Structures are given as structure tokens and as C-alpha cells.
Amino acid sequence: MKKLVFNSDLCTGCRACELACSFINEGLFSPSKSRIRVVKFDREGVDVPTGCEHCENAPCEMVCPVKAIYRDEDTWAMILDPDICIGCKRCMIACPFGAIGFDEERKVFFKCDLCRGDPECVKWCFTKAVDYTDELHVDHMKQVKRARKEAAAKSRARGL
Amino acid sequence: MEKMYAYAGKTLKVDLTRGKVHSERLDKTLARRFLGGRGLNGKLLFDMVGPEVDPLSPDNVLLVASGPINGLLGLTTGRLDVTALSPLTGIFGNSNAGTNLAPELKYAGYDNIIITGRSEKPVYLLIEDDHVELVDASDLWGRGIFETTDILKERHDDVKVGAVGPAAENQVLYGSIIFDYWDAAGRAGMGTVMASKNLKAIAVSGTGSLEVADPGRYYEAIQDAWLALMNDLGFKTQEHSVLGTAVCVGWGNAQGWLPTRNFRESYFEDADKISGEEFRDRFSTKEAPIPAGRACMSCPNRCKRYGIIRTGKYAGTRGNIEYESIAAFGSKCGVSDFDAVFHANMIANDYGMDAVSCGNMIATFMELMEVGLIDREHVDGLDLRFGNADAMVEAIHRIARREGRLGELGGLGSYLATRAISDEATYYTSNVKGMDSIACDPRGAKGFGFAYAVASRGSDHLRAHPVFEMIKLPPEVGKELFGNEEAVNLRKYGGKAEMIAWHEELGAITDSIGSCRFMHASYYAQYPVPEILHRVFNMKGEVHSIKYHEWISAATGWDISYEELLNIGKRIINVERAFNLRRGIRRKDDTLPERFFRDKVPKGPAKGEVFSRKMFKKLLDRYYELRGWDLKTGLIKKETLQQLELDDVLEILEKEGLVV
């Protein structure tokens, strides 16, 4: 299964993902209506993209009293159905990533649904700081990256 | 009420004297004729500031404007324009910053801010959507940019901040406005105007939305522009996106236009010690193979280089650095210690003053010391020799604080300071119309040089930005666009008047819609250049180009052709010219510093080059013809203003006898 992954090492803070998201989902350009967000730390020179992780044991799904949040079996996305949602805000409070948004004008909640398996944000991310990729691949790359660091440290220690 | 697409639709008016703010609808006719940003601000400045106004009086205005395509996902659309009568030059002044405040202002609901008068006590302007307030800033006055920005971000939940620092408060004439720590509206003393109004900062947060007229067509246009950039040869080599603008240190040195020791030379023997590669290897904080720089809103070019000094006496200094500031404190001052150059830039940044003017000022002092036109007394005993990094850093502190004679003189900028010293001394400042030259030697790059002479805010590359002559384009492109193959040649004069005029017109558009110079010139992914290249090289496949006319039309719902865009560009340039004419600018002022006509480049790739006086005159004549200006005086011809539908401008100029 594919996963949406965020990598702050690669993020330039351009926020194209925010605008692509709000445009595809709402037809508007508006960071406040985006499902994805880049938090900018300008003084530190760091930008951190953040959004829904589509957790395996999703707190939003567990706390929803009316089952407005459910798993899409095709894309494995956690979907929020605004027609069922009663606006109790429990999911918003439970989500550790702040990934549930509230549309003040329409009084409904919204969240990332992976654009039905073809996330628009990824298409606009030039550096792949936001990527939609195979979970196993993510895992494998982590191992390789970590191992690479260890190897480099070892060769340094041996004076190579 | 008719909806305005792409624009936020409102203008915010701030009267600091009365402490009142109110918003009104954006003038649609004005927007249609001048688009936004620099164009809109230029016309407002012409309308609001007469020839009698003193730049630091409450009668000057401070104009801040975004453009119609800010915040709409188009690539490189994160630019904001700030315009006022410049205290440094006494003529048209503006500066453009790449900042998140530009789109944020639109999300808050405003396209532009018109700031008038002067507040009795220091205030800052807080904009949170509909909630707009002037807040007491007594506790912020005197604080540096970094601290001020920290405090405001903490106090108002991560707002976007544009602030002035102690340099502007102390009336250093080239004070900047710095956005979110590093992004400067650096030039022409816009910060000094802001501080003279007792306005310490502008803080903005917005949660609103922007709509475009034809979403399908618009999305296609910006995707095409994106593809155009990805297919561009220059972008593919990744120079700017890997090294940022600092790539120009090596580039300029290899081509013989890196100003060295106050423009005496155009080749710096130690350039590799202050290069973009050196910055990447020593200071960069990103470890990825392609260092992910930092970017303005929706910009894949990500040219901002962030770094930190890890060891030595300046350990802990951090921030963004650009080519201009490296050259200003590096090669221009003969300093090859990159730690000191980086540190110098960051303290100038924290004081809130223009690195270009500040570096030029110090370099001028250094040369004047060397040729014996000033002695140590003028600079309070400081040993300002070329290459003395410690003295340079100390001089920055004293200038920003206006300490002693050095601080008094240094705050005036190199033109006014040398005038105050002696007639002879003025030879040693590189400026046009009082504005310090940026880091490109006119003798090494003729088009750039000529552009300095005619730029509306004085010696400046950002009106034209004719990188065209630097990137080794095929001569056919020069022939096709400007009627002369020499237009692509750095050291030749042919076709340069046409080349500069075209670049200025497109540049005026770029500045007015909220886009960046990188897209207008640097990559040449801009219509019609990719089309011509495609033809010249017999390339297969589809051509992608950045078509601003298509882009703006789809966004606003107006039907604007490429030709009309150029016409709007001409209109913008002529309004700025008209403003300057009212302040006494004539043909005699459209010139280069004498040194570039007289002194041969002593060494390096451009060895032996001067700017030919004869060719300059020819270029200027041709340029005036293209602009529809009078060859003798430099005044605008009546029919030019009529053609551009600038009847209100014509009326005023006619009354003052300024039309031919």
C-alpha cells in the first residue's frame, strides 16, 4: 500500500502543496483550506510539511461517535464524510497531527483523502519533500540511510 | 457588486497622522491599466507625491502592493513591491522583496496598502483579516530586525512580519524593510521612509481565499509554465537552485564583471573563497544531494541559501545570503574572509539596511583612503584598507548607529557622502542618479551597464535584468528578438538598446503581477524565447513557455495579449519617468559613472575594456527613439503619453512645461 510521506530535509517551504490541495479540493487558492500544511521556521531556516498520516489505528476514527470517519479499502485513506459529520470536533482534538480542518463558512470538517489515490500535492512538490510512495520502500530506504550513516562513522573511525 | 478575480479586491488605507485605518474597493480601472505591484504603486506615487515633497516628511507616502498572481500557485509568484519617494536619491524609489507577506496580504483580503502621514509615537500595523489595528510599538523601537520579528511572531501567532531596524530609525538613507528575518525590500531607502513615519512593522495574517476567473484554463497555463521551467536548459543545470544567486560570484569572475575593490577592477583573485560552492560546503545546513534551498511561495527555483557559521569568532551567525551582499562586503571591499562577509551581511540585515549601498559606501571609503582623498580622521581612526575585514565589520556598526564622523557620512550613501567630502571624491563612487551600483561592472557587461543609465530608480540591474547577454544564447535569438546578433554578446553594443527596452517592459510586468525576475530573465523560459529556441535548434516535440498574458487573462478574466502586456509595461515605465522628470531628471542624468568611460579594466577576462562613450551616446539615442522620448532633453513626447493613454499624466506635465 502507498503512503503519503513528509520529509522536512527536502522541503523548501514553497507551500505549492497547500495551494494545489486547496485548488483541487475547493476550487480556491487558500492555505487555510488546505489539507496539507508547511510550518515555516524562518529564523532557523527549517520548513516542516505536515498532514494526515492515515494512521493504522487512527484516533479520529476511534473517537468519531457517528462513524463519519472510515477507512477507504482501495487507497487505505481515512475518509471524513461531511454529510454524516455532526461537527462535535472530537476528531480535531484527538488527532496528534492537527490534520483535521474546519471550514468556518460551511461549518464542516475536512481532511486529506489522498485525492482518491492520486494526491495533487505530490505533483507540485519539486523536491519530493511530499511523496506518495510504497510503504515498504519507505521502510527499506530508512534502513539503508541509517546503515549508510553507521558505515560512514565506522570508516571515519578507522581513519579511512 | 462585480466580483474581482485573482485580486483580493480591497485597498487598505492607513493614515498614521490621525491613527485611522479603513479599507475600500480596489480601483478596478487602475488595476486593469497598471495590474498591481510596481505598476500600481508607481501611478499612485505619481498622483500623491508632487515635486515639492521632502522624502522624509509626512507628505511622502509608503505604498505596499502585491500583484494579481500572488498566492495563486503560479511558479515564482511570491514578490511584493514597496514604493515611495526615495530619501537616498530624491527620485522614484521602490524595492521588491520575495516574501510570504505578499500572498498573506491577499489572503487577509487586501491587494495593497497606502500609508500616509506620520504617527506621533512608534506603532506597528497589525492586519488579521478584517481586524486591522495600529498598535503601540514603543517597546519595539530601537530593537533589531531579528528581535522585533521574534516578538511579533510570538505575540500574534506566527504572523508574517515586515520590519524596520535601528539603521532606518537613525535615518541611514538606505534603510531596508526586512520581511520574516531575511527577505529584504532592500534598496532605495524604503525602510527609512517607513521609519520616518514612526511605523516599526507591518504584521499580517490572512485566512481568506482567492478565486480565478477560469480555473481550468488557469490551471493549464500554470502547469505549462511549470513544464517550461523544467525544460529550460538553464534550470536543468540547476545553478541557481543549487547555489542560489551566489553562483554569480564564480560566474561574474569568469566573465570579467565581478566588481572588485570599489569597481576599480572586475576580477577578484580570491573569488573562490567567497563563492557559492564555498557557501554550500562551509555554511549550508541542508545535507541533501541537491541542497534544498528555501523558497518564496510556490517557487521551484528555491534560490534562498540558508547557512550557519559553525566555528571561529563569528560562530553562531546564521541566515540567508545572496550574491549582491557577498560582492558588496566581499570583492568590492577586497575581503576574502567568507566568515566576515557572511557576518557583515547578517549585522547589516539585523540593523535593517541595504547591503549593496552599505558595502559600496565602505568600499568607497577604502578607495578614498588609498588615493589619499580622506585620511583616518574622516573615518574616526578606523583602518579602512581594502581587505581589512575587521574594520569593515566595525564600520557597519558605526554607520547603522550613526556614530562619529564615519557614521554621519556613511549613513548618507556613497553619492551624498562623497559630495560632502570633495568634488574630486565623487569620482570614486559608482552610482547613477544617486543610487549605488549593484555588483556587475558595466565595462564587462555592456547591456547591464547601459541598463544602469536608464533605470528609473538609478543605477540598477533590476529594471532590465538583461542576463540575456550572459548565458551564451545562439546569435539567431538576438537577431530575431532585437534585430542584431550582437545582442547576445556580453562585450558588444549592437542591439542592446532594443534588448534593454524589451527587458524593461517585461520586467515592469513581472514586478507588477507579483512574479520574480528569475522567470522574466535568467532562465528565458518566457514567451517567446522558448519558441524561438525551438525553431533555431530544430527541436522536436511540444514547446512549453511561460505565457504571462495567458496566465493573467485566465486568472483575471480580462483578455490581455502579449502585445498589450508590453504596452502596459511601457505605460509603467513612462509614469516612473514622468515622476522623475518632475524632480529634475533629464538626459544629462541618464549616464554612467565617469570611471567606466575612462578607466580601462586593469586585469582579468575583461582586461582593457571601457564603456565606449561614443557607443553609449548611440545607444541612448536609440533607446529614446524606442521610448518616444525627446533626444535632446530626455522629456517624454506628447504623442507617447497619448498613445499610452496617460492623459492625466500629460495634463500635469504640460502644466509644468515638461512635455515636448
Side-chain angles (χ1 to χ4, degrees):
Chain A
M1 202 53 82
K2 278 183 153 187
K3 173 158 175 58
L4 192 64
V5 289
F6 311 103
N7 183 347
S8 59
D9 284 342
L10 296 174
C11 183
T12 68
C14 86
R15 301 163 70 202
C17 52
E18 294 181 7
L19 295 177
C21 176
S22 76
F23 179 75
I24 282 299
N25 288 294
E26 309 279 349
L28 300 166
F29 294 101
S30 176
S32 67
K33 292 195 167 50
S34 170
R35 280 82 173 132
I36 185 169
R37 185 169 171 214
V38 178
V39 183
K40 291 176 77 76
F41 298 89
D42 288 303
R43 181 138 192 196
E44 293 75 16
V46 178
D47 304 291
V48 184
T50 147
C52 177
E53 300 283 354
H54 302 277
C55 311
E56 289 296 328
N57 299 306
C60 56
E61 183 188 22
M62 289 181 221
V63 298
C64 181
V66 292
K67 296 199 183 324
I69 299 178
Y70 58 90
R71 178 81 62 191
D72 181 288
E73 293 297 328
D74 292 338
T75 62
W76 214 242
M78 289 308 307
I79 309 273
L80 187 155
D81 188 335
D83 293 336
I84 305 174
C85 172
I86 56 170
C88 71
K89 303 188 184 172
R90 277 189 169 193
C91 55
M92 202 166 150
I93 292 159
C95 176
F97 301 103
I100 317 258
F102 184 61
D103 187 329
E104 289 287 347
E105 286 147 45
R106 286 154 47 196
K107 303 286 173 208
V108 291
F109 282 89
F110 59 79
K111 70 174 292 305
C112 170
D113 63 356
L114 295 174
C115 294
R116 282 70 56 196
D118 186 19
E120 193 69 11
C121 51
V122 173
K123 295 178 204 163
W124 289 86
C125 185
F126 182 67
T127 59
K128 291 200 185 314
V130 182
D131 202 5
Y132 191 49
T133 179
D134 205 293
E135 276 175 72
L136 288 172
H137 177 71
V138 176
D139 202 36
H140 176 65
M141 282 319 293
K142 253 192 190 153
Q143 286 174 335
V144 170
K145 205 174 161 188
R146 207 203 62 78
R148 208 178 270 149
K149 271 189 186 160
E150 194 175 314
K154 273 193 177 150
S155 70
R156 262 200 308 278
R158 289 173 191 148
L160 294 172
Chain B
M1 201 160 86
E2 200 191 344
K3 193 171 170 52
M4 266 188 101
Y5 290 104
Y7 292 90
K10 280 185 293 184
T11 292
L12 189 66
K13 291 193 168 174
V14 180
D15 180 345
L16 290 169
T17 306
R18 292 187 182 77
K20 294 256 192 284
V21 288
H22 80 279
S23 72
E24 48 190 62
R25 293 198 66 197
L26 174 70
D27 183 336
K28 197 176 172 182
T29 319
L30 204 60
R32 178 69 178 81
R33 282 159 53 76
F34 293 94
L35 299 174
R38 174 180 146 203
L40 178 73
N41 278 347
K43 183 62 169 54
L44 290 170
L45 188 74
F46 182 87
D47 292 342
M48 297 175 79
V49 175
E52 72 294 341
V53 170
D54 178 279
L56 295 179
S57 74
D59 294 334
N60 197 356
V61 296
L62 185 71
L63 304 162
V64 179
S66 66
I69 60 170
N70 277 134
L72 296 174
L73 187 58
L75 47 88
T76 77
T77 52
R79 310 288 310 193
L80 183 79
D81 180 272
V82 184
T83 297
L85 168 63
S86 164
L88 182 66
T89 61
I91 59 170
F92 179 83
N94 84 326
S95 198
N96 185 290
T99 163
N100 272 265
L101 193 136
E104 198 75 12
L105 186 63
K106 287 178 76 177
Y107 300 136
Y110 314 97
D111 295 294
N112 64 327
I113 316 175
I114 300 176
I115 301 165
T116 56
R118 172 186 289 157
S119 171
E120 219 167 280
K121 55 178 198 306
V123 289
Y124 66 91
L125 176 65
L126 177 66
I127 303 170
E128 289 167 318
D129 292 322
D130 293 337
H131 173 84
V132 184
E133 185 186 354
L134 288 165
V135 187
D136 183 19
S138 310
D139 59 328
L140 299 175
W141 202 254
R143 288 187 200 257
I145 297 290
F146 301 150
E147 216 184 344
T148 304
T149 312
D150 274 343
I151 292 170
L152 289 175
K153 278 187 184 289
E154 183 67 38
R155 195 180 289 170
H156 298 294
D157 195 19
D158 200 29
V159 279
K160 311 295 174 204
V161 176
V164 295
E169 293 167 13
N170 298 334
Q171 299 209 338
V172 170
L173 294 182
Y174 43 87
S176 323
I177 306 170
I178 310 271
F179 297 92
D180 287 349
Y181 305 103
W182 325 109
D183 305 331
R187 309 227 63 204
M190 296 300 100
T192 312
V193 173
M194 183 157 146
S196 78
K197 299 186 167 305
N198 272 330
L199 182 62
K200 178 68 179 176
I202 300 170
V204 187
S205 74
T207 59
S209 311
L210 300 168
E211 274 181 79
V212 292
D214 186 341
R217 183 179 163 202
Y218 177 77
Y219 212 57
E220 212 169 282
I222 58 173
Q223 278 170 326
D224 200 48
W226 186 270
L227 283 172
L229 184 65
M230 298 305 136
N231 283 321
D232 181 81
L233 287 173
F235 189 75
K236 278 184 186 165
T237 62
Q238 299 276 323
E239 283 190 328
H240 273 114
S241 36
V242 171
L243 299 177
T245 54
V247 71
C248 296
V249 177
W251 205 23
N253 214 37
Q255 296 191 346
W257 47 259
L258 178 68
T260 302
R261 283 172 283 270
N262 197 32
F263 287 86
R264 205 163 59 191
E265 297 143 60
S266 70
Y267 173 81
F268 188 41
E269 62 286 352
D270 284 333
D272 56 344
K273 294 184 183 155
I274 54 167
S275 66
E277 288 83 353
E278 187 68 11
F279 187 85
R280 176 195 61 199
D281 296 344
R282 251 168 81 188
F283 306 124
S284 185
T285 53
K286 302 250 185 179
E287 54 175 312
I290 296 174
R294 304 192 70 231
C296 296
M297 198 136 183
S298 50
C299 177
N301 195 42
R302 62 199 190 282
C303 72
K304 296 174 186 178
R305 291 303 102 176
Y306 186 90
I308 180 162
I309 300 181
R310 295 179 175 87
T311 56
K313 72 173 162 182
Y314 299 124
T317 289
R318 47 165 59 210
N320 278 357
I321 198 162
E322 299 291 341
Y323 165 65
E324 283 302 331
S325 40
I326 297 176
F329 296 120
S331 59
K332 282 178 183 172
C333 291
V335 172
S336 56
D337 172 358
F338 210 164
D339 284 8
V341 172
F342 190 4
H343 184 70
N345 182 207
M346 286 308 122
I347 52 178
N349 194 107
D350 194 27
Y351 280 124
M353 59 182 172
D354 179 20
V356 180
S357 284
C358 186
N360 279 25
M361 182 71 253
I362 295 169
T364 303
F365 279 137
M366 286 173 166
E367 193 172 13
L368 290 175
M369 290 275 277
E370 195 174 292
V371 297
L373 284 173
I374 57 170
D375 50 32
R376 279 211 185 189
E377 250 175 65
H378 278 92
V379 291
D380 304 317
L382 216 52
D383 183 22
L384 277 176
R385 269 177 299 114
F386 281 122
N388 188 345
D390 289 340
M392 174 180 77
V393 168
E394 178 58 25
I396 298 169
H397 287 294
R398 293 199 193 167
I399 289 172
R401 298 180 189 142
R402 303 301 292 270
E403 269 173 22
R405 204 163 169 200
L406 171 63
E408 233 5 86
L409 278 174
L412 300 174
S414 72
Y415 169 64
L416 292 173
T418 49
R419 276 222 318 196
I421 292 167
S422 69
D423 278 351
E424 234 181 324
T426 56
Y427 189 78
Y428 297 95
T429 152
S430 174
N431 76 83
V432 176
K433 303 181 179 80
M435 177 76 133
D436 298 288
S437 300
I438 55 98
C440 176
D441 192 309
R443 294 167 295 188
K446 311 297 188 202
F448 262 77
F450 180 68
Y452 286 1
V454 293
S456 62
R457 65 174 184 182
S459 192
D460 178 37
H461 64 314
L462 286 174
R463 285 296 178 263
H465 204 223
V467 177
F468 193 80
E469 61 183 5
M470 291 175 171
I471 53 173
K472 301 193 167 57
L473 283 164
E476 292 90 330
V477 184
K479 175 93 184 151
E480 180 138 353
L481 269 172
F482 309 118
N484 196 319
E485 295 187 348
E486 283 183 11
V488 300
N489 190 323
L490 199 57
R491 308 267 204 266
K492 295 272 171 46
Y493 300 93
K496 291 292 164 81
E498 288 82 353
M499 196 265 271
I500 296 306
W502 180 81
H503 277 80
E504 281 190 336
E505 284 150 25
L506 228 44
I509 295 304
T510 320
D511 288 345
S512 301
I513 56 179
S515 185
C516 175
R517 273 318 153 81
F518 274 119
M519 286 315 108
H520 138 248
S522 280
Y523 292 127
Y524 293 91
Q526 171 93 284
Y527 177 86
V529 184
E531 280 79 359
I532 295 172
L533 284 171
H534 215 75
R535 212 160 48 233
V536 169
F537 287 130
N538 273 324
M539 284 171 0
K540 293 194 172 58
E542 205 183 332
V543 201
H544 299 284
S545 66
I546 300 174
K547 297 182 193 69
Y548 279 133
H549 49 289
E550 172 66 15
W551 192 343
I552 298 167
S553 299
T556 59
W558 299 329
D559 197 14
I560 300 184
S561 66
Y562 170 68
E563 288 71 25
E564 191 188 343
L565 265 195
L566 290 185
N567 212 41
I568 296 175
K570 285 180 188 141
R571 188 180 290 146
I572 292 165
I573 290 162
N574 275 282
V575 168
E576 289 170 4
R577 180 70 176 184
F579 183 86
N580 284 343
L581 292 174
R582 292 184 83 197
R583 302 200 73 97
I585 295 297
R586 297 291 180 274
R587 177 164 178 145
K588 65 174 175 17
D589 303 296
D590 295 339
T591 185
L592 286 174
E594 190 58 21
R595 163 178 274 172
F596 301 130
F597 292 127
R598 215 191 279 174
D599 298 353
K600 283 187 179 152
V601 174
K603 62 175 187 183
K607 189 177 174 189
E609 289 282 337
V610 288
F611 205 110
S612 153
R613 212 185 289 270
K614 201 176 106 204
M615 293 311 293
F616 181 83
K617 186 185 171 298
K618 258 174 109 168
L619 283 179
L620 195 60
D621 281 351
R622 179 69 189 131
Y623 177 84
Y624 278 13
E625 270 170 31
L626 293 167
R627 282 274 168 266
W629 296 351
D630 178 50
L631 290 193
K632 210 168 127 228
T633 56
L635 295 174
I636 309 173
K637 289 182 180 170
K638 187 173 177 172
E639 66 256 31
T640 307
L641 290 167
Q642 282 167 335
Q643 250 164 31
L644 296 170
E645 299 163 53
L646 287 169
D647 299 309
D648 52 340
V649 174
L650 173 62
E651 199 181 314
I652 288 170
L653 293 187
E654 254 179 347
K655 250 186 240 163
E656 297 172 10
L658 294 176
V659 179
V660 174

